[in-house]
Amino acid sequence: INELLSSKGQDDLLISEAEASEMVALIKILTPFNKAIKLFEMEKQPTIQHVVPQYFVLKSHVEDPQLLDSLPIAKFRSLLLSQLQDKYLPNISERHKIGSFLWPRCSALAFYSAEEREMVKSSVRRLVQEQEEVMRRRGLLPDPSLQPAPQKKRCTRLSSDDDYSSILGGEKESDVADEVDKYLFIVQTSGNGVRSADLLQWWKDKSTDLPVLSRVVRMILATPASSSASERIFSVAGRLISPRRNCLSPEIVDVMLFLFHYLKKKAARAAVS
């Protein structure tokens, strides 16, 4: 920056070493926020599951003061922390928490207390029950009243604090009480591979084992974490539909938007290569 300023004869604007170090510190503080924004704005992957974990990641990052922080940097950290607590945290809804729970990598909800984890699981069970009723009305699930009474067997209800040692010690997947517990059982017995698995593909593979919960997942993960993607589409559409082109049919506008985004991404790939 100083070289550029010097080349333009603006030596009075040269950055001192102290100012440069503060700029580096600011970049270091804001980098995780930039990563979070990119996660929230993904268009081809679910994003809602990132909202809760990213709050705790950012909060932990901001609360971690450095010994060399100057007074302005310390004040900036304090401001960011207050913004997280006053604006980010109140906007975390039950749906965000459920989205995080349905992300196998984050299903333990370790950042919450045991009581909060049980509340999230109860909410998921309620959604599963509602979805079961819908599926029965559509004939996608058999009516339990018409089925023969199952043989009694011991069922296991997994708590959020269970280390699953009893499960891993010999119980079978069929012994687990419901689909929510079955999901936790599958995650716990899948090993470290679940952390790197593609979320959509993972649930597609488990849709046979978890038919009702997988439908709940479709409903939850379809919710975007940010409205920026749709806002960009409306912005482009606003430029396409001008006073001279106000008779375009919805189908034509849809095709034009598709071509716009396709050509834009094609140009971006060509520029990279």
Side-chain angles (χ1 to χ4, degrees), residues 15-224:
I15 299 173
S16 65
E17 291 186 5
E19 291 172 332
S21 64
E22 288 195 352
M23 289 177 62
V24 171
L26 283 174
I27 292 173
K28 186 177 180 180
I29 293 173
L30 293 175
T31 296
F33 287 85
N34 184 48
K35 292 180 179 178
I37 291 172
K38 290 181 178 179
L39 286 175
F40 297 158
E41 293 185 349
M42 290 190 300
E43 296 183 6
K44 294 186 177 181
Q45 290 291 330
T47 55
I48 192 172
Q49 76 277 9
H50 293 295
V51 173
V52 176
Q54 282 301 310
Y55 167 76
F56 289 98
V57 168
L58 295 175
K59 182 173 179 289
S60 175
H61 171 70
V62 172
E63 287 179 335
D64 182 24
Q66 303 297 315
L67 294 176
L68 299 179
D69 277 354
S70 63
L71 182 59
I73 295 297
K75 289 183 177 180
F76 184 63
R77 283 184 182 274
S78 177
L79 176 63
L80 285 177
L81 182 59
S82 65
Q83 291 291 310
L84 285 173
Q85 294 173 339
D86 296 341
K87 294 188 177 181
Y88 193 147
L89 183 60
N91 287 317
I92 294 179
S93 66
E94 179 186 69
R95 201 175 188 89
H96 293 121
K97 297 175 183 178
I98 293 174
S100 297
F101 175 74
L102 295 175
W103 185 19
R105 182 176 179 179
C106 200
S107 59
L109 298 179
F111 34 75
Y112 280 137
S113 65
E115 181 180 358
E116 289 173 314
R117 291 196 291 268
E118 287 302 321
M119 290 176 62
V120 174
K121 289 173 65 176
S122 297
S123 298
V124 177
R125 287 193 173 95
R126 174 177 50 80
L127 291 176
V128 168
Q129 291 173 356
E130 293 174 357
Q131 188 62 37
E132 282 179 343
E133 294 176 2
V134 172
M135 294 176 70
R136 287 195 184 99
R137 287 198 298 268
R138 295 178 179 177
L140 300 176
L141 282 180
D143 190 336
S145 62
L146 303 178
Q147 299 297 312
Q151 295 181 352
K152 291 184 178 180
K153 61 180 180 180
R154 182 168 60 89
C155 290
T156 302
R157 174 58 60 87
L158 305 181
S159 70
S160 298
D161 298 322
D162 197 336
D163 62 358
Y164 302 96
S165 58
S166 61
I167 297 294
L168 298 176
E171 288 193 14
K172 299 179 181 179
E173 185 178 309
S174 58
D175 293 330
V176 181
D178 58 20
E179 284 201 17
V180 176
D181 288 334
K182 189 176 181 180
Y183 160 63
L184 292 173
F185 177 90
I186 293 173
V187 171
Q188 186 66 20
T189 55
S190 296
N192 294 329
V194 73
R195 295 182 60 83
S196 58
D198 178 84
L199 179 57
L200 296 179
Q201 186 62 47
W202 192 90
W203 275 106
K204 182 179 180 181
D205 295 340
K206 298 297 182 291
S207 59
T208 303
D209 298 326
L210 305 167
V212 182
L213 187 57
S214 62
R215 285 179 172 265
V216 173
V217 168
R218 294 181 197 176
M219 177 178 64
I220 296 297
L221 296 187
T223 307

